[in-house]
Amino acid sequence: MPIYQELLKKKEQLKWGDITKEELEGLFDENIPDSMIAELYNVSKGKVKYKRDKWNINRMSTVQRQLKSMDLFKGINEESKKRLLDKENMDKMAKAITHYIFRNGPIEDMHSEDKFSQADMKKLNKYMVNKIGSILTCIYNEDWLKLELILAFNSIYGQEWDKCIPDCKDIDAMYKEFIRNGGNSAFPTTI
C-alpha cells in the first residue's frame, strides 16, 4: 500500500515532529505535493519544504535512490538466476510452479467440491510436476531445440482458445512487497 494511503488512515494521530526521513522520501517518491503533505500533518507547506531541504529530499536524491535500488536489484537478480539455474533445485521448482499455475487455481475448488478424489489429485499433481520438470530440464540443459519442438508439436492444439493474457498481479505484488521491505519479506527468497 502506498505510504500516503497508510498515513492518511492515521491522520488524527500524526505529528509533524514524528515524521521520518524515509516516510518523507516515500511521500516525495509517490509524487505527493508538499501541500497535501502539509494538510496531512496540519502544518504549513513551508515547513514541509524546509524539512525536505534539510534532509536533501529532492528529484536528484530520488534518482540516486532509484539508481542505488537498480544496482541492488541487478545483484539480487543475478543471484536469483544462479540459484534458479542450479539443477539441484529442479524438484522444488517443478512443485512450486505446479502449485502456482495449477494446484492453487480452479482445480483446488473442484477438488474441495469432491469433483476429484484424493487419488485423482495425486495423479494430476504428479503429472504436472513431471511435465514441468521436463521443461525445466530443457532449460537447465539449454536444450532450446527441444523446447522449440514442444512448441511446434503442441501449438496446433488450443488454437480456438482465448488469447493468452499474462496475469502477473500476484507476482508483481510479491515483488513490490519484497522491494518495499528492502529485501526483507515474510516469504523466503532462497530456495
Side-chain angles (χ1 to χ4, degrees):
M1 175 181 286
I3 293 171
Y4 180 76
Q5 294 300 323
E6 286 180 27
L7 293 172
L8 193 57
K9 289 178 182 179
K10 304 184 280 187
K11 183 176 176 13
E12 299 304 318
Q13 294 87 31
L14 296 178
K15 295 181 181 156
W16 182 242
D18 294 340
I19 192 168
T20 66
K21 181 177 180 183
E22 290 75 24
E23 287 171 333
L24 192 54
E25 282 176 339
L27 291 167
F28 190 75
D29 291 348
E30 288 176 14
N31 293 315
I32 305 299
D34 287 353
S35 58
M36 285 177 66
I37 297 170
E39 184 180 321
L40 184 65
Y41 282 90
N42 198 27
V43 295
S44 70
K45 188 175 157 183
K47 282 191 174 189
V48 175
K49 184 175 179 344
Y50 173 79
K51 194 165 273 196
R52 272 196 316 97
D53 290 345
K54 178 180 171 187
W55 284 342
N56 194 31
I57 300 172
N58 52 47
R59 287 288 159 226
M60 184 55 79
S61 65
T62 298
V63 169
Q64 289 169 339
R65 281 193 308 284
Q66 289 170 344
L67 288 173
K68 186 177 178 184
S69 293
M70 286 172 51
D71 287 342
L72 176 64
F73 168 77
K74 286 177 190 174
I76 291 172
N77 201 49
E78 281 302 311
E79 289 300 316
S80 291
K81 179 181 175 183
K82 287 177 192 173
R83 284 190 300 272
L84 292 173
L85 292 179
D86 182 346
K87 270 188 164 180
E88 295 296 316
N89 293 321
M90 184 175 58
D91 181 63
K92 287 180 185 177
M93 285 288 295
K95 290 174 182 172
I97 292 170
T98 297
H99 269 273
Y100 177 71
I101 65 172
F102 175 71
R103 184 60 196 252
N104 291 340
I107 197 80
E108 184 58 33
D109 295 334
M110 296 166 89
H111 180 232
S112 69
E113 295 167 358
D114 293 325
K115 293 181 180 175
F116 296 105
S117 68
Q118 191 61 27
D120 291 335
M121 284 306 295
K122 279 184 146 182
K123 187 175 183 178
L124 288 168
N125 288 337
K126 180 71 174 154
Y127 175 83
M128 290 294 292
V129 167
N130 290 346
K131 290 299 184 180
I132 291 170
S134 300
I135 291 170
L136 290 172
T137 298
C138 291
I139 292 169
Y140 292 140
N141 293 336
E142 297 187 32
D143 289 332
W144 308 118
L145 177 57
K146 290 180 182 177
L147 285 172
E148 190 171 27
L149 289 171
I150 291 170
L151 175 66
F153 284 112
N154 290 284
S155 64
I156 59 171
Y157 304 106
Q159 292 299 311
E160 70 283 357
W161 293 355
D162 291 344
K163 185 168 176 55
C164 166
I165 301 171
D167 179 5
C168 299
K169 287 181 232 140
D170 50 351
I171 296 171
D172 291 341
M174 286 185 285
Y175 177 77
K176 285 177 183 172
E177 180 68 16
F178 178 77
I179 295 300
R180 190 171 82 76
N181 289 320
N184 300 315
S185 79
F187 52 88
T189 56
T190 58
I191 298 172

